[in-house]
Amino acid sequence: LSSLIILRPYEVLNRRRTIKQAQKILADHKDLLVIGITGSYGKTTVKEILTSLLATRFQVLTTPASYNTLFGIAGVIKNNLKPEHEIFIVEMGAYKKGEIAELCGMVKPKIGILTGITNQHLERFGNLENVVKAKGELIDALPKDGLAVFNLYSAPCADLYKKTAINKLGYSRIDK
């Protein structure tokens, strides 16, 4: 326990330094298109499909596996982002409100994809309204000329779609 207490200040400083380095690296990639993906489910699958499609035409960097936290994403930027990359696809996870907003503050996505919202994270957020607010931080962070993409089969996403004023697309499954 005492070693954890002693190492905590170093850990905090190291995280801050890594995040600042990542922000500087991103600032040097002015033409990089950043796509953020969040939701209660399907983030990794959507990321992998989108990466496969875009990589046929563009140089794409994507967060590996389920790297979806601030420090993990900062490490990917620091260690893997190269000048030839044109698109950066970022999976964004959250354990509490404010974390996706913080991720967006670092990577500044131009496109945001909301895969769906369910009550599966109630132990973290307390209620569905808090989940919607947390996942909606991605849409709130998009620039005025950004694009928001919503899974309209998810009722909470459909509600956010209706409230979104920027360019938006919706998709849904077709029942036969």
Side-chain angles (χ1 to χ4, degrees):
L1 181 62
S2 62
S3 62
L4 291 175
I5 294 169
I6 292 169
L7 291 176
R8 183 73 178 143
Y10 171 76
E11 179 185 323
V12 170
L13 288 172
N14 186 45
R15 287 172 58 96
R16 284 187 188 146
R17 185 179 75 233
T18 300
I19 292 164
K20 286 193 180 293
Q21 289 170 338
Q23 289 172 320
K24 182 184 179 334
I25 291 166
L26 285 171
D28 292 341
H29 286 77
K30 294 180 186 350
D31 295 327
L32 184 69
L33 173 63
V34 178
I35 302 171
I37 302 171
T38 196
S40 298
Y41 55 86
K43 296 180 294 291
T44 302
T45 300
V46 170
K47 176 186 69 178
E48 295 301 329
I49 291 169
L50 189 58
T51 299
S52 293
L53 292 170
L54 292 174
T56 63
R57 185 152 185 226
F58 302 98
Q59 293 293 316
V60 179
L61 174 64
T62 187
T63 52
S66 292
Y67 277 56
N68 60 18
T69 64
L70 189 67
F71 192 62
I73 294 167
V76 171
I77 294 165
K78 184 178 165 189
N79 297 319
N80 302 102
L81 185 62
K82 306 292 182 229
E84 61 268 16
H85 286 121
E86 300 168 281
I87 299 174
F88 182 33
I89 301 174
V90 181
E91 181 177 330
M92 299 179 168
Y95 288 95
K96 62 182 187 233
K97 288 191 300 184
E99 287 184 331
I100 291 174
E102 191 174 17
L103 289 170
C104 291
M106 179 175 67
V107 301
K108 306 207 180 325
K110 179 136 186 195
I111 298 174
I113 301 173
L114 197 45
T115 62
I117 298 173
T118 66
N119 57 8
Q120 88 179 41
H121 296 304
L122 293 184
E123 76 284 354
R124 296 179 190 166
F125 293 101
N127 59 49
L128 185 60
E129 182 180 330
N130 288 337
V131 177
V132 171
K133 287 178 184 175
K135 301 301 182 181
E137 291 169 358
L138 171 58
I139 306 307
D140 294 341
L142 296 174
K144 290 188 187 322
D145 64 342
L147 174 65
V149 181
F150 298 87
N151 172 2
L152 299 179
Y153 191 70
S154 164
C157 287
D159 290 342
L160 283 174
Y161 175 88
K162 292 173 192 168
K163 297 173 185 175
T164 298
I166 66 168
N167 294 324
K168 59 189 174 184
L169 294 173
Y171 66 92
S172 183
R173 76 179 201 192
I174 297 173
D175 291 326
K176 293 185 180 188

